Amino acid sequence: MKLVKMSLAAAMLMGVSAFAVDNVKISGDAQIVYGTWDADTFGYNGFIGKDGELFDKDSSAADAAMHLNVSADLLPGISAGASYTMVSTLGLENNFVSNVWASSHTTKNLTTNGNNYAGPLGGAKVENSSWFNEAWAAITLGKTTAKVGRMALDTPLAFTETWSVEQNTFEAAVLLNQDLPDTTLVAAYVGNGNGTEWFGDSPLFGPGTSTSDVYQTGLAYTGIVNANGAFTTYGTDGAYAFGIVNNSVKPLTVQAWYYDVTRMAQAYWIQADLNMEGILLGAQYTNVDAGDFVSGLEDNTAYAVMAGFATDAFTIKASYSSVDDAAGVGAGWNTATNWSTAQSKLYTEAWWNYGYIAMPDATSFNITGEASLSGFDLGAYYTSVSNDTMTTHEVNELTITAGTQLLGALDATLAYINTDAKDQNNGDAYNSVQAYLTLNF
């Protein structure tokens, strides 16, 4: 008998074509990312006590990834979709860099492999990772849609972080209704997720026990996804979310959300945004009460305001946020990833250093400027966070970016980051350079 090898793309296409489906959409991208730093305490160079140096192998990280997406209409009113992620070092960790970018990698031969990588692990070989990050079905009746399965979510306090080569997703059931004019009602149950969240996990306050050894030892430059993309229970017993988004008074958009992470925490989020002839105004208010999680924890409240101006050529914004000093877990951070490094949707979020603006007693401001000039997308971002209670969680970050598109499909971005944080690099400022290449198809 002959064995026929089939590509992943062909297999996914065969799966949908068997239903004689319509409106099949296939998309994806291939990415290569690289980061380097001159900090002395990060990654492999930090483990071996070597001074960090830009573009040095031991103070650099890299990864490659491919994302393949397919969706189709199976029957009238019924659709389905799937997405697959593959992350590979391409062998770079043994030659060009000594660290990886993604936290989904694992290692093997921790004590017997003689490779140079991961000396603290005994010289480990890094394994590639791959998983289905989406696999869902949806049915629409009138103006109501029900979606069930593995999917990305975008809500204020539980969302898919999209800034890296790996993205956390959820196993959930979502119901949306738009019968009311200019209004979307949302109800969702989230059972599982593959983000590095620590709710309900041990050790307390992370990293979660399903995270990889590469992530736990600090040899992964970033951390969003569990080892091999593994999905685990969200919190201890899942979570419920309810939201309403209204645009009746144009150009004003108002949204309100309530969350119940079962037996652990309750939270709400209220936001209003105005975009009128280029004038940008916004306000946010959120509260997180984790008293059900750890006895004695108080609830934290955060608010943020934003003002700006946008044209076709440029955008400039200034924002301010504040979290009260109650002895809680902070407010405004993504509950789907690690509490200490989770991204936030508060206006003041930094370009790179997440996990500061949502801490208890954090006072933050951000200035953002973006412009398009001669085929280049330019950006300058400054974030400053002060904290009188958690005094080590203070940071000043300046990021400058330049991006362009090559050959009509290849997006290229270069970023320079200056970080001055009390809890990084022994409190000394340091520099980072990052490069992103994305081929869309």
Side-chain angles (χ1 to χ4, degrees):
M1 177 184 294
K2 289 185 178 181
L3 297 178
V4 179
K5 294 183 177 180
M6 184 182 301
S7 70
L8 175 65
M12 295 176 75
L13 280 174
M14 179 173 287
V16 296
S17 63
F19 289 91
V21 298
D22 297 319
N23 196 26
V24 177
K25 297 179 180 178
I26 300 174
S27 64
D29 60 69
Q31 294 179 292
I32 296 178
V33 291
Y34 170 79
T36 183
W37 53 88
D38 61 9
D40 297 334
T41 59
F42 289 173
Y44 188 73
N45 69 289
F47 274 116
I48 63 177
K50 178 181 178 180
D51 291 344
E53 184 179 350
L54 289 176
F55 309 110
D56 182 79
K57 173 177 178 287
D58 293 332
S59 51
S60 299
D63 250 322
M66 179 173 289
H67 309 93
L68 182 63
N69 316 305
V70 60
S71 63
D73 294 331
L74 303 181
L75 295 168
I78 300 177
S79 58
S83 299
Y84 197 75
T85 293
M86 296 159 281
V87 182
S88 172
T89 68
L90 299 179
L92 296 172
E93 82 282 0
N94 288 313
N95 300 282
F96 184 55
V97 297
S98 293
N99 306 270
V100 296
W101 186 283
S103 62
S104 56
H105 290 293
T106 57
T107 59
K108 71 175 184 179
N109 299 331
L110 299 186
T111 59
T112 61
N113 193 292
N115 291 340
N116 180 55
Y117 179 77
L121 294 176
K125 178 183 178 181
V126 175
E127 298 285 76
N128 298 333
S129 56
S130 61
W131 67 96
F132 275 98
N133 55 305
E134 288 194 290
W136 54 266
I139 182 170
T140 299
L141 297 174
K143 295 184 178 181
T144 300
T145 297
K147 186 176 181 180
V148 179
R150 187 173 291 183
M151 68 189 77
L153 292 179
D154 186 17
T155 77
L157 295 176
F159 58 91
T160 298
E161 298 191 19
T162 60
W163 52 271
S164 183
V165 295
E166 56 183 6
Q167 299 178 8
N168 64 292
T169 51
F170 307 82
E171 292 178 344
V174 179
L175 186 67
L176 299 97
N177 178 271
Q178 295 179 313
D179 279 314
L180 297 176
D182 301 309
T183 302
T184 299
L185 302 175
V186 183
Y189 170 74
V190 180
N192 295 319
N194 69 343
T196 52
E197 58 100 356
W198 54 268
F199 262 150
D201 225 340
S202 179
L204 186 62
F205 296 105
T209 55
S210 298
T211 56
S212 70
D213 47 7
V214 174
Y215 175 64
Q216 292 176 13
T217 55
L219 296 172
Y221 192 33
T222 65
I224 300 177
V225 174
N226 287 333
N228 291 314
F231 283 76
T232 59
T233 302
Y234 198 84
T236 57
D237 295 288
Y240 297 87
F242 305 92
I244 179 171
V245 182
N246 181 269
N247 186 227
S248 297
V249 182
K250 298 175 177 56
L252 178 69
T253 300
V254 179
Q255 56 181 309
W257 297 83
Y258 173 78
Y259 300 81
D260 186 348
V261 184
T262 308
R263 295 197 299 114
M264 298 188 68
Q266 293 78 42
Y268 59 86
W269 178 287
I270 301 171
Q271 179 171 337
D273 292 285
L274 177 73
N275 185 345
M276 182 175 61
E277 298 181 353
I279 298 174
L280 308 175
L281 296 173
Q284 299 167 323
Y285 186 86
T286 183
N287 175 275
V288 176
D289 183 356
D292 291 342
F293 179 39
V294 176
S295 178
L297 281 180
E298 301 178 24
D299 63 308
N300 283 114
T301 297
Y303 72 90
V305 291
M306 179 273 297
F309 186 75
T311 69
D312 292 338
F314 71 90
T315 299
I316 185 168
K317 294 185 291 185
S319 54
Y320 172 88
S321 67
S322 179
V323 184
D324 67 24
D325 61 358
V329 296
W333 43 275
N334 185 11
T335 60
T337 55
N338 192 332
W339 167 77
S340 62
T341 58
Q343 191 178 26
S344 173
K345 286 186 177 290
L346 292 173
Y347 299 125
T348 52
E349 183 59 286
W351 193 90
W352 178 250
N353 287 281
Y354 303 145
Y356 290 90
I357 68 168
M359 291 293 174
D361 206 22
T363 299
S364 314
F365 71 85
N366 172 281
I367 299 175
T368 292
E370 298 173 328
S372 297
L373 181 65
S374 301
F376 287 89
D377 294 323
L378 307 176
Y381 312 85
Y382 180 76
T383 298
S384 180
V385 183
S386 60
N387 197 313
D388 293 334
T389 301
M390 302 179 67
T391 55
T392 60
H393 284 67
E394 296 185 329
V395 65
N396 294 297
E397 178 199 298
L398 172 65
T399 298
I400 298 173
T401 65
T404 191
Q405 190 173 81
L406 306 173
L407 305 175
L410 180 63
D411 294 329
T413 300
L414 189 66
Y416 164 78
I417 308 164
N418 179 269
T419 301
D420 185 0
K422 289 188 176 180
D423 63 343
Q424 298 185 44
N425 196 37
N426 299 317
D428 296 329
Y430 68 95
N431 304 293
S432 304
V433 176
Q434 298 175 3
Y436 302 77
L437 289 176
T438 302
L439 177 65
N440 299 292
F441 55 86

